[in-house]
Amino acid sequence: MDKQKKKTSHFPFRLNIMFFCVFILFSILILRLGFIQIVHGENFRKDLERKENISVSNPVPRGRLFDRHFRVIVDNVPKNAITFTNQGFSQKEMLKTAERLATLIEKRTDKVTELDKRHFWILKNPALADKKITKQERQLYAAKKLTDRDLYRLKLERISNAELKNFSQKDLEVLAIYKEFTNSYKFIPQIVKNENVTDQELAIISENLHSLPGVDTTTDWDRSYPFNSTLRSVLGNVTKAEEGLPAEQLQYYLARDYHRNDRVGKSQLEWQYEEILRGHKAKIKNFTDKTGNVIETQPIFDGKNGKDLVLTIDMDLQKAVDQILEEELWAMKRRPGTYLSDRAYVVLMDPYSGDILAMSGKKLVRNQKTGRLEIQDDALGTFTTTYSVGSTVKGATILTGYQTGAISPGTIFNDAGIKIKDTPIKKSYMYLGNLNDVTALKKSSNVYMFHTAIRIGKGHYEYDKPLNFTNKMAFETVRNSFASFGLGTRTGIDLPNEQTGFKGYSRLPGYLLDLVIGQYDTYSAMQLAQYVSTIANGGYRMQPHVVKEIRSPAKDKEKLGTVLQEVSPTVLNTIDVKKEWLDRVKVGFRKVMQEPGGTAYKYFKGARYAPAGKTGTAEAFYDGPLRYQYGKEPPPVMNLSLVSYAPSANPEVAMAVLVPWAYQGKKDHKANLKIGRRVLDTYFQMKQGPL
């Protein structure tokens, strides 16, 4: 018993010690929590309530564009700008800031609309606006038969013109500024003014930033063009500050970390290479409290200029070709039968690399104000417009004939006209006698090509009898072969909106005869340049390109950055022909320009650079800007073309000339040959000195 009592007597004591220890620990914990809450509680509360937002601050310059000799084609010009960043301000706060800012700067009001004025009137006159709602309408509103939106719409409609006219010029400036404020997105700077911001305006705003919440000054950038309008249609454009992201591509850009008011390339090179040319804006981290107020800002990224592009274009050569086209267009318009002629195109290409050395297009457009014709740049037309080109395609026709076994080197045909039952006779421009393949190219025989097409179609020709083909794939055979040279297919040029051309849909045998002389399907000047380059370089279809290098932005504006990527020559395909076949076509092309009797000899006689090529004249129908004047039947016109390369033995440049709707009637002014001779003379003169 005594032992039992002795054993149990220790238990309450130990339990008391344990409870005492727990009490001490809890007391310490309570004291610590109290200390944290009293001393650091406010800081921890702010830490809990704040959140992070990433925003983009000052804009940085886009990448520059250079020509192949590293001369600046597109540059950036810095300009002062005033911005507003919405940090969650109310309408009243923004209006108050706009009123203060309007006293410090001048703001254009030409973009203020009548609807803007009505909204602004309600904001400025809320009591008067409320009086425009009738008692009955308020009862309907109370009965939930009218909404807040309905009442607001009624207020807008009932503001009189007299009330709107009460706005002073300064009121309109406040409205113009306030409109920019309300167009902004939270934590994303919005341009308020970036045109003609004076140094005085910049200084006075900088001095008063403490009373202009959300307003800041920065440096914005505009694109500049040292070569003025030269090649402008190809260089493209950038959206303006008020445009922001194009609506049709909004989601595309937002998914790539753009903001809605960012400026982006919207056409041609600026659009095609947007991801390379765009700069990366400086990023900051905003810490806000739970009400959305910014309590701290930390920089994350200082920003980086866009990468630079070096183009394949020689701007001196481009300007010279532009000048030639302008002069020849004006000269052509002074000739009879040229009422409908209004444009011409030239492409110069390195046949081995695909470098586009010059791509010129000029178009005559009537000024709506003066009524006079003016020259407009249309370099885009070299690859976005297509036309019937005529006999320039005959080199491809002869090689297709070799490939299919329809003809062989030395095959002879008589040039007598082809007569298919119930159709007009199809013939050459004159009777040329018995011809082989080389002479047919030299003298540009249509009939030789007709017989080649008949054999490709496995047809049997008899004078004034129906013509039928047993080869039902004859059109596909010819078109696929032409496409291997670049005719009737995409050339692959690194610019958007390239057109492949129109393909005639009828399969009547007579149209195959038209196809092989270039009077059925349509082609672009760029396709012609790729086609003749393929012949010149020995059978390799090279992808044409206008970008030569991508370079990192240089810190020193007078220097070039390092090469990040060099665009290598790309072979799209090789044509399936024997070397001796290709050489035979080259002989024919050489005779066209260098031998008496050749269709271009008269204009290229004596050229020391030994050109080779093929002329083209196509009977076509007008489809230009004056088409509406002619009802259902468009007038017949003649298209002129020329393809060439030089020197013929070792080509270094390939050329395509295309003059759509050159003339009506039979008086050929040979503008294609005049342009071609002057362009090649200019190229070799600039490269090698006087000829």
Side-chain angles (χ1 to χ4, degrees):
M1 285 287 281
D2 290 339
K3 286 182 181 180
Q4 261 183 335
K5 285 181 182 180
K6 211 168 187 182
K7 283 180 183 179
T8 56
S9 63
H10 295 288
F11 183 75
F13 176 75
R14 291 173 181 171
L15 188 61
N16 289 335
I17 291 176
M18 185 181 69
F19 283 147
F20 179 74
C21 291
V22 170
F23 171 76
I24 295 296
L25 290 173
F26 269 105
S27 298
I28 294 172
L29 181 60
I30 290 168
L31 288 173
R32 180 61 180 167
L33 289 173
F35 174 78
I36 290 173
Q37 184 162 345
I38 294 169
V39 178
H40 300 293
E42 184 64 20
N43 292 334
F44 283 122
R45 185 184 64 78
K46 287 182 178 179
D47 284 342
L48 277 172
E49 291 177 349
R50 74 179 181 180
K51 58 183 179 181
E52 296 179 2
N53 293 275
I54 301 298
S55 69
V56 178
S57 69
N58 298 342
V60 294
R62 287 174 70 83
R64 297 183 293 168
L65 275 67
F66 300 85
D67 84 340
R68 67 186 298 111
H69 300 301
F70 307 113
R71 290 168 294 197
V72 178
I73 302 175
V74 182
D75 206 347
N76 300 296
V77 177
K79 59 181 183 178
N80 295 331
I82 300 166
T83 64
F84 174 76
T85 303
N86 187 351
Q87 299 175 358
F89 302 120
S90 66
Q91 281 187 331
K92 289 183 179 180
E93 289 172 324
M94 288 192 286
L95 178 59
K96 188 176 181 181
T97 302
E99 289 170 341
R100 289 174 182 166
L101 186 58
T103 64
L104 305 178
I105 67 171
E106 291 184 2
K107 174 68 175 174
R108 289 175 57 180
T109 61
D110 53 323
K111 293 181 181 178
V112 172
T113 66
E114 182 179 321
L115 183 60
D116 293 331
K117 294 178 184 179
R118 291 179 180 273
H119 287 302
F120 193 61
W121 189 91
I122 293 175
L123 182 65
K124 295 278 288 183
N125 305 280
L128 291 176
D130 286 340
K131 290 180 180 179
K132 294 185 180 294
I133 303 300
T134 66
K135 183 177 181 181
Q136 183 182 6
E137 288 165 346
R138 293 188 185 281
Q139 290 172 347
L140 291 172
Y141 176 75
K144 297 186 177 180
K145 293 184 178 181
L146 288 178
T147 64
D148 289 320
R149 182 175 293 182
D150 293 329
L151 295 185
Y152 189 81
R153 178 177 52 80
L154 291 170
K155 292 176 184 179
L156 283 176
E157 293 172 352
R158 291 168 182 172
I159 300 171
S160 68
N161 290 331
E163 288 171 320
L164 293 179
K165 288 180 180 178
N166 287 332
F167 285 131
S168 66
Q169 179 59 31
K170 186 52 67 176
D171 288 332
L172 293 178
E173 287 189 38
V174 173
L175 169 54
I177 294 171
Y178 177 75
K179 183 178 178 180
E180 298 290 358
F181 286 5
T182 56
N183 284 339
S184 64
Y185 298 94
K186 196 171 183 181
F187 299 129
I188 300 175
Q190 170 78 12
I191 296 288
V192 175
K193 181 180 179 182
N194 63 355
E195 298 293 339
N196 304 315
V197 178
T198 66
D199 292 337
Q200 183 179 2
E201 286 177 330
L202 212 64
I204 197 168
I205 289 173
S206 298
E207 293 172 3
N208 290 274
L209 288 178
H210 62 279
S211 62
L212 298 168
V215 175
D216 202 355
T217 59
T218 186
T219 301
D220 196 18
W221 302 87
D222 256 352
R223 287 307 229 180
S224 67
Y225 304 91
F227 287 87
N228 300 317
S229 62
T230 304
L231 209 63
R232 279 290 287 111
S233 63
V234 170
L235 298 176
N237 293 302
V238 178
T239 58
K240 297 179 181 179
E242 59 268 23
E243 291 179 87
L245 300 180
E248 64 275 11
Q249 296 176 297
L250 180 62
Q251 296 306 318
Y252 170 86
Y253 284 115
L254 290 178
R256 284 158 178 78
D257 200 29
Y258 284 79
H259 291 133
R260 292 174 183 269
N261 62 353
D262 281 345
R263 285 174 290 175
V264 297
K266 65 177 181 179
S267 62
Q268 297 313 313
L269 273 170
E270 294 277 16
W271 179 85
Q272 185 77 18
Y273 288 92
E274 166 63 25
E275 291 295 329
I276 291 168
L277 291 170
R278 68 176 292 207
H280 294 278
K281 293 184 177 182
K283 287 189 176 181
I284 59 173
K285 182 184 291 185
N286 289 326
F287 293 95
T288 65
D289 59 25
K290 65 179 180 180
T291 61
N293 296 317
V294 176
I295 58 175
E296 185 183 349
T297 298
Q298 291 180 1
I300 296 176
F301 178 63
D302 290 335
K304 192 173 183 181
N305 294 6
K307 300 180 183 69
D308 297 333
L309 297 180
V310 178
L311 306 188
T312 61
I313 303 291
D314 181 334
M315 287 302 279
D316 284 342
L317 180 61
Q318 178 74 36
K319 286 173 62 179
V321 175
D322 283 354
Q323 184 66 30
I324 291 168
L325 276 191
E326 289 185 19
E327 293 171 359
E328 292 298 332
L329 263 178
W330 286 122
M332 184 173 66
K333 288 297 288 184
R334 291 192 289 267
R335 302 294 296 271
T338 59
Y339 172 67
L340 296 174
S341 60
D342 68 345
R343 63 194 66 192
Y345 303 101
V346 171
V347 174
L348 290 176
M349 176 175 168
D350 183 324
Y352 291 97
S353 68
D355 285 6
I356 299 299
L357 307 176
M359 50 188 303
S360 181
K362 292 295 174 179
K363 185 161 58 174
L364 291 168
V365 178
R366 195 166 298 279
N367 187 307
Q368 296 300 315
K369 293 182 179 179
T370 65
R372 296 179 179 178
L373 287 175
E374 297 177 350
I375 290 282
Q376 186 180 88
D377 178 66
D378 190 30
L380 285 183
T382 58
F383 63 93
T384 62
T385 59
T386 63
Y387 310 90
S388 299
V389 300
S391 299
T392 46
V393 306
K394 288 177 178 176
T397 299
I398 293 294
L399 287 166
T400 304
Y402 294 153
Q403 286 176 314
T404 58
I407 59 172
S408 57
T411 296
I412 294 175
F413 292 118
N414 187 277
D415 197 56
I418 297 284
K419 179 67 173 72
I420 303 171
K421 185 176 175 60
D422 298 328
T423 64
I425 191 167
K426 302 172 81 69
K427 58 184 181 179
S428 302
Y429 57 93
M430 61 179 289
Y431 177 64
L432 301 172
N434 291 322
L435 303 166
N436 65 15
D437 45 338
V438 171
T439 311
L441 288 173
K442 172 186 172 181
K443 296 186 176 182
S444 199
S445 167
N446 286 344
V447 176
Y448 195 96
M449 308 304 150
F450 295 157
H451 284 295
T452 301
I454 291 170
R455 289 192 175 186
I456 291 172
K458 300 188 183 304
H460 175 70
Y461 168 70
E462 291 185 47
Y463 188 85
D464 205 24
K465 295 289 180 68
L467 179 63
N468 293 301
F469 294 151
T470 58
N471 177 11
K472 302 303 181 184
M473 299 297 292
F475 279 89
E476 285 75 15
T477 298
V478 173
R479 283 173 173 154
N480 289 339
S481 177
F482 277 25
S484 70
F485 293 90
L487 296 171
T489 189
R490 296 193 187 280
T491 65
I493 189 169
D494 53 339
L495 290 167
N497 305 318
E498 181 181 11
Q499 299 299 307
T500 59
F502 170 79
K503 290 179 172 58
Y505 55 85
S506 176
R507 297 303 183 91
L508 291 175
Y511 289 119
L512 184 68
L513 275 55
D514 292 336
L515 176 62
V516 297
I517 63 168
Q519 297 197 157
Y520 194 45
D521 291 356
T522 64
Y523 312 108
S524 68
M526 191 64 66
Q527 289 176 353
L528 290 179
Q530 188 179 56
Y531 149 67
V532 75
S533 292
T534 303
I535 292 175
N537 67 30
Y540 301 93
R541 184 164 78 99
M542 304 304 299
Q543 181 176 357
H545 56 99
V546 295
V547 172
K548 189 178 181 67
E549 295 173 349
I550 299 171
R551 289 178 174 257
S552 61
K555 293 182 179 179
D556 185 348
K557 193 176 180 180
E558 301 302 317
K559 296 181 180 179
L560 286 167
T562 57
V563 177
L564 299 175
Q565 181 182 340
E566 188 172 352
V567 179
S568 301
T570 301
V571 179
L572 299 177
N573 63 266
T574 57
I575 55 174
D576 184 21
V577 296
K578 296 178 181 178
K579 183 179 182 299
E580 54 265 33
W581 295 349
L582 196 57
D583 288 343
R584 197 156 176 87
V585 170
K586 288 183 176 182
V587 171
F589 276 20
R590 177 177 57 79
K591 288 176 177 286
V592 167
M593 292 186 153
Q594 297 184 36
E595 193 171 281
T599 54
Y601 175 72
K602 179 181 176 181
Y603 286 86
F604 285 86
K605 178 175 63 175
R608 283 169 34 186
Y609 44 79
K614 186 72 190 73
T615 59
T617 305
E619 297 177 2
F621 290 98
Y622 178 72
D623 191 29
L626 301 179
R627 173 67 182 83
Y628 68 93
Q629 297 181 4
Y630 296 95
K632 292 184 178 180
E633 288 293 328
V637 290
M638 304 297 285
N639 296 343
L640 297 177
S641 64
L642 173 68
V643 294
S644 180
Y645 54 86
S648 55
N650 187 24
E652 62 180 71
V653 64
M655 175 184 70
V657 179
L658 186 52
V659 187
W661 319 316
Y663 63 93
Q664 293 173 272
K666 296 184 178 180
K667 195 68 175 178
D668 185 354
H669 47 62
K670 307 291 184 181
N672 55 333
L673 299 175
K674 295 173 184 176
I675 292 169
R677 177 63 195 254
R678 289 187 64 186
V679 168
L680 285 182
D681 281 358
T682 299
Y683 170 83
F684 284 100
Q685 187 171 2
M686 292 176 67
K687 187 175 187 298
Q688 301 171 354
L691 295 173

